[in-house]
Amino acid sequence: MNFENIKLGVAPINWTNDDMPELGGENTFEQCISEMALAGFTGCEVGNKFPRDTELLKKALDLRGLQICNQWNSYELTTKSLEENIKNFTALLDFLETMGAKVIGGGEVGNSCQGEMTVPVFEGKGMLNTDEEWKSFTNGLNELGKIARSRGMKLAFHHHMGTCIQTIAETDRLMAETDPENVFLNYDCGHFYFAGEDPVEALKKYIGRTAHIHLKDIRPNVLQRVHDEKLSFLTAVKQGVFTVPGDAEGCIDFPALFDVIKESDYQGWIVLEAEQDPAVANPLEYAIIARKFFKKLTAI
């Protein structure tokens, strides 16, 4: 396998941050997608400035040779009824299906601290504390995944800092207690490293169950500050905990990650998703750094 079944995409959160709209607030939708294409990507995820009119969105993307590959879905299975989750999930499926995407992503935000500016990310993370809570959560994911599968799409669940699925142990249990035909993983090397895990070993473990891949790097000095100062996830982002693959300030072993992908049967998208403050880290400049690095490792 020589990456012939891989496509390269990019997330708009590098230009405009959904959780902190003040980051990149000055960047327009048109600038965002034009610079995605200029950097050499062929797909993208959906951001808060993207129009919801599918015909308008398709036209804008087609002009730039881009297609939608995924969108974050905010699961709230820990705090809202399954019926409410199904309603929101189905509405997003309708949109993504119209846009030609095959994956619906997202993580559990219901009891998460990921969107809280003042809650320390490690000390305040969401938890599933009982077997009953785990059963309710995984049963809900199974039901949503079944709906996605019935429409020819895959639910790719995103392990994420500050949430109840953050570590490898939590991801292991999620995988064990959900149906492999209904629930897949949205693997993210940056979030595993942030959580104190080995992202290469994690990818080796989960690549057979992975339906979508996010790649970002970590600045170790900022991560140490997160621990020392008990910073929130959003504060960590603002201070630059994430950067793009190919940045010399990063620390993740991307050649090893691409070796795992190359030796696997993975088919789908690899997405650059390295949220930073666009006023500090120019999105186009960093997207080009990552795109050149990806080409060096994959020849794509």
Side-chain angles (χ1 to χ4, degrees), residues 265-298:
D265 295 323
Y266 180 75
Q267 300 182 28
W269 290 91
I270 293 175
V271 173
L272 169 65
E273 192 223 28
E275 56 264 47
Q276 304 184 72
D277 183 346
V280 176
N282 180 275
L284 176 59
E285 177 184 352
Y286 277 80
I288 290 172
I289 290 171
R291 185 65 185 88
K292 288 180 177 178
F293 186 63
F294 289 162
K295 186 170 185 178
K296 177 182 176 182
L297 293 178
T298 67

Side-chain angles (χ1 to χ4, degrees), residues 11-18 20-36 47-50 276-285:
I13 199 169
N14 305 338
W15 281 262
T16 58
N17 194 295
D18 288 1
M20 295 178 283
E22 69 274 15
L23 296 187
E26 71 282 3
N27 294 329
T28 66
F29 161 68
E30 290 80 6
Q31 176 189 345
C32 174
I33 59 173
S34 293
E35 292 186 354
M36 288 174 170
N48 59 5
K49 292 188 178 179
F50 279 45
Q276 304 184 72
D277 183 346
V280 176
N282 180 275
L284 176 59
E285 177 184 352

Side-chain angles (χ1 to χ4, degrees), residues 145-212:
K146 194 181 302 181
I147 294 170
R149 181 160 65 97
S150 73
R151 297 177 61 167
M153 298 182 69
K154 289 182 177 180
L155 187 163
F157 188 84
H158 196 315
H159 58 97
H160 197 287
M161 291 302 300
T163 76
C164 56
I165 309 298
Q166 173 176 297
T167 65
I168 281 183
E170 290 162 344
T171 307
D172 279 345
R173 184 164 181 179
L174 173 73
M175 296 286 96
E177 296 187 14
T178 53
D179 188 333
E181 292 190 345
N182 294 332
V183 178
F184 299 83
L185 193 68
N186 182 162
Y187 168 88
D188 189 307
C189 60
H191 279 274
F192 271 135
Y193 191 98
F194 200 145
E197 308 288 7
D198 182 335
V200 177
E201 292 305 311
L203 187 59
K204 289 178 181 177
K205 175 178 281 196
Y206 302 127
I207 188 64
R209 187 101 175 256
T210 294
H212 200 63

